[in-house]
Amino acid sequence: MSGDQRICFVGDSFVAGVGDPQALGWTGRLTAHARAAGAAWTTYNLGVRGHTSADIVARWSAECLVRLPAGSDGRVVFSFGVNDTVVAAGRPLVETQSSVTNLSVLLTSAQAQEWPVLVVGPPPVDETGHNRRIEELDRRFEQTCAEFGVPYAASFRLLAEDPVWREQVRAGDGAHPAAEGYAAFAERLLPPWRRWLGY
């Protein structure tokens, strides 16, 4: 294994940590946990607020290629889906099957680069109808990752009944929590994260 270990977190506003006054989000907290355990990964946060899976397909390769050069031990975490399921003009911004296809394109491309991938599914928000769409997408994403042999963290199920997450999202903008909510998210992600990195 190369000593030059790098991870790109690619996704949306939840990856960017929107709403966290500590500016860590779940990605910063997982990175800090790995470093405290002696895993010296360099991480890059490539979260963009409002981005859908289609936006990510369009931009991710160029952004990751410059950060994960040949000879490095490069990995990618993908996380998106809440924006895909936002309804505008009577329909989701990205239809479910198109979201699944976009995920398949991302996984195929990452595997061609030989970059190990972890997919973190979309978390629940504070709106019942929106959550139904997120839950369905979460299920489909999990199936797709299983087909590719890629580990998947089903965030919707992990957080749907988490009281801290629910309270913080409700107290915020209805989607993004504050620091304690992101800490709860990171805590739920620790088992798949540690398995993926092997520490």
Side-chain angles (χ1 to χ4, degrees), residues 95-118:
E95 297 290 350
T96 300
Q97 186 53 51
S98 295
S99 298
V100 171
T101 298
N102 289 335
L103 176 59
S104 298
V105 167
L106 293 168
L107 296 180
T108 299
S109 300
Q111 289 184 341
Q113 293 288 344
E114 299 185 346
W115 291 332
V117 172
L118 171 66

Side-chain angles (χ1 to χ4, degrees), residues 17-25 29 168 177-180 182:
V18 168
D20 184 356
Q22 296 179 11
L24 291 170
R29 287 175 170 82
Q168 289 241 304
E180 293 83 358
Y182 279 111

Side-chain angles (χ1 to χ4, degrees), residues 10-159:
V10 183
D12 54 20
S13 56
F14 295 98
V15 171
V18 168
D20 184 356
Q22 296 179 11
L24 291 170
W26 59 264
T27 63
R29 287 175 170 82
L30 290 182
T31 298
H33 189 279
R35 289 182 180 163
W41 294 88
T42 298
T43 58
Y44 302 94
N45 190 311
L46 304 176
V48 178
R49 189 169 193 173
H51 267 200
T52 65
S53 60
D55 298 316
I56 290 163
V57 166
R59 70 176 171 89
W60 86 280
S61 182
E63 295 182 2
C64 288
L65 280 168
V66 296
R67 292 170 175 84
L68 307 176
S72 65
D73 179 6
R75 295 175 178 240
V76 181
V77 178
F78 289 117
S79 185
F80 51 83
V82 172
N83 294 317
D84 288 33
T85 54
V86 168
V87 170
R91 59 189 300 173
L93 292 179
V94 182
E95 297 290 350
T96 300
Q97 186 53 51
S98 295
S99 298
V100 171
T101 298
N102 289 335
L103 176 59
S104 298
V105 167
L106 293 168
L107 296 180
T108 299
S109 300
Q111 289 184 341
Q113 293 288 344
E114 299 185 346
W115 291 332
V117 172
L118 171 66
V119 177
V120 174
V125 296
D126 189 35
E127 202 278 301
T128 302
H130 195 175
N131 276 340
R132 281 197 293 268
R133 297 188 296 276
I134 296 171
E135 184 175 22
E136 168 64 11
L137 191 59
D138 186 58
R139 187 181 63 80
R140 295 287 301 279
F141 278 2
E142 186 169 38
Q143 291 172 344
T144 302
C145 287
E147 291 164 8
F148 277 85
V150 167
Y152 183 77
S155 301
F156 188 89
R157 289 202 305 274
L158 291 172
L159 291 167

